[in-house]
Structure formats: C-alpha cells, structure tokens
Amino acid sequence: MLGIKISHIEYPKSQETIDISADAKSVRLDIYVEDGKETVYNIEMQTTENRNLPKRTRYYQGMIDLNILEKGDNYKELKRSFVIFVCTFDLFGEGRHIYTFENRCIQNPELGLGDDTTKIILNTKGTMNDVTPEIKKLLNFIDGKEPEDDFTRELDEAVQSVRKNEKWRLDYMTLQMNYQEKYEQGIEHEKEKTARRLIELGRFSIEEIADVTELSVEKVKEIAELQPV
C-alpha cells in the first residue's frame, strides 16, 4: 500500500499511550510500530463516521512527534511517520479506497515541504480501481465480507481463534472497562471545569450551576469553596 519495503517491525508497546502532561489530552493508539529505517507507523480503526477525523490525524501526528523528541533533542531526530486511519465509511465521498495527504506548497503542488509526515485515510467502501487487488480484498474483509485469498483467510482464522480465547476476552473486557472509566472521568472533569467557570462569572446560583452541569449541589458547593477569592 505504501510502496515501500519493510524488512523489520518493532513493537515498542502492544498499545502505546501518549500522555505528555497532566493537562494535555492523552492519546491511546491502536497500533504503534517502528521499522528498521527510523519510520513510525500509527494505524487506527474507525467504524463510526466522524467529521473531526482530519483534525484527529493532526493531533495524533503532533503527539507522536512530542513523544519521539525528548527535551533538548534536535529536530532532525524526528522520524518519518505515517498516521493511517482505516475507515468503514467514505469520509470524503469520492469513492476512493485510499486518500493520501502530505504537506505541499499551494503555489507549486510539485514542491513538498519535506517534513516526512504522511496521513492516509483508507475507505472499505471504495468503488474506484485505485488499489491493488490484495488491498481491495483486505478492505473488503475489514468491511465484513468473506475472506477472498490466503492472507484474509489467515486473518479470519486468527480472529476466530481470538474470539474463542477466554483469557483474551477477559483482558478485552477489562480494557473496555478501563476505557469506560477513563471516559467517565473525562466527562466528570469537563463538568467540574464548566462549574468553575460559571462560579467565576458570579451570575448563577449553586442550584442553577448544578442543573446545567448535572453535578450534585454538594459537589458544586465543594468546588465553590475551593475557588480562590
């Protein structure tokens, strides 16, 4: 798909979580791998249509770069990177199986910026003849169709094996619970942040703030007491 030969793949972690600071939005990447040529690949699955996806690719790219570059390192240490989203919908509505984006000069599209970053959106619902038959069979398989070649049959067997693995299912359920907990914590954090802003404005009663944020009156009072005078 990328038109490059990958001789060796390294898995720094089974699932990379990038958490730059306590106040920054953390990112949990589906697949984060490196090859033997100083290239990083981030691959994500997206099954629900989300128009914010282009900005997500931008955010993921930035977080990956911050994760690679230690404080004080030279910018030349940044690795070539690919952020790839595999979508079960056509985000741009052009019927392509693959949309590839690089930073180029508007005045001269032949002139690339040379920042070694590429963002790719794959579409399992593509209708054009724009990828190899092998890639098309893989995207069809991801889209829920029956395997059509040895590779997708091998993938199908792996999927069936995982589904029968009780330990994996338990690990998956535990991971999902952790995701849900993080999600709920994030919502709670946003509610509390909104409550603090409303308290700072001084125009609303405790009860009104509780009603707007869906926090308890007691929780809003607690936040108000912690606000600096």
Side-chain angles (χ1 to χ4, degrees):
M1 182 187 70
L2 300 175
I4 58 179
K5 187 173 288 187
I6 300 173
S7 60
H8 175 67
I9 293 178
E10 297 175 5
Y11 294 83
K13 291 180 183 177
S14 59
Q15 195 170 49
E16 178 81 353
T17 299
I18 299 176
D19 202 353
I20 301 299
S21 71
D23 296 329
K25 181 180 176 65
S26 63
V27 170
R28 183 181 289 273
L29 306 178
D30 286 351
I31 298 175
Y32 180 88
V33 297
E34 299 177 5
D35 66 11
K37 296 182 179 180
E38 295 294 298
T39 304
V40 173
Y41 306 86
N42 165 222
I43 306 172
E44 303 289 322
M45 287 293 299
Q46 185 73 32
T47 58
T48 55
E49 192 159 354
N50 187 335
R51 291 294 166 183
N52 288 327
L53 196 147
K55 289 192 176 179
R56 274 182 64 195
T57 67
R58 170 181 166 181
Y59 189 74
Y60 281 28
Q61 178 68 67
M63 292 292 276
I64 290 168
D65 287 345
L66 286 171
N67 193 49
I68 292 171
L69 201 65
E70 296 290 338
K71 187 175 181 180
D73 282 355
N74 192 292
Y75 292 117
K76 69 180 181 181
E77 301 297 325
L78 286 173
K79 300 176 181 179
R80 185 183 185 191
S81 64
F82 291 88
V83 175
I84 303 169
F85 272 77
V86 184
C87 302
T88 56
F89 54 90
D90 190 348
L91 180 66
F92 302 103
E94 293 191 359
R96 301 179 188 277
H97 288 92
I98 182 168
Y99 298 90
T100 305
F101 299 91
E102 292 181 345
N103 291 319
R104 294 189 170 274
C105 177
I106 292 175
Q107 289 76 22
N108 177 15
E110 297 298 316
L111 177 62
L113 182 61
D115 59 351
D116 280 340
T117 64
T118 304
K119 300 175 183 69
I120 296 174
I121 309 293
L122 293 173
N123 166 33
T124 64
K125 299 290 194 303
T127 55
M128 288 188 180
N129 187 28
D130 55 346
V131 291
T132 65
E134 291 77 16
I135 294 297
K136 195 176 292 185
K137 289 171 185 175
L138 173 60
L139 292 175
N140 286 340
F141 175 70
I142 293 172
D143 202 44
K145 296 180 176 64
E146 292 297 317
E148 303 175 69
D149 59 8
D150 289 342
F151 180 58
T152 49
R153 277 189 285 272
E154 185 180 341
L155 287 179
D156 188 50
E157 288 173 8
V159 170
Q160 299 307 323
S161 174
V162 166
R163 284 178 176 170
K164 293 174 184 175
N165 187 321
E166 290 297 326
K167 182 181 182 304
W168 184 92
R169 289 175 67 184
L170 180 62
D171 289 345
Y172 177 77
M173 289 172 65
T174 303
L175 184 61
Q176 286 296 95
M177 288 171 65
N178 288 339
Y179 280 163
Q180 184 64 26
E181 186 178 337
K182 293 260 185 198
Y183 175 72
E184 290 172 358
Q185 287 174 353
I187 290 177
E188 197 69 15
H189 176 72
E190 287 302 317
K191 288 179 179 179
E192 291 176 9
K193 198 157 77 170
T194 301
R196 281 193 290 271
R197 288 173 182 164
L198 293 174
I199 291 167
E200 287 172 3
L201 288 173
R203 302 175 190 167
F204 306 94
S205 67
I206 295 294
E207 290 74 16
E208 286 172 329
I209 295 172
D211 185 52
V212 168
T213 60
E214 297 182 346
L215 293 170
S216 67
V217 171
E218 291 73 20
K219 184 64 180 177
V220 177
K221 286 180 179 178
E222 180 184 324
I223 294 170
E225 289 171 1
L226 294 173
Q227 289 288 94
V229 179

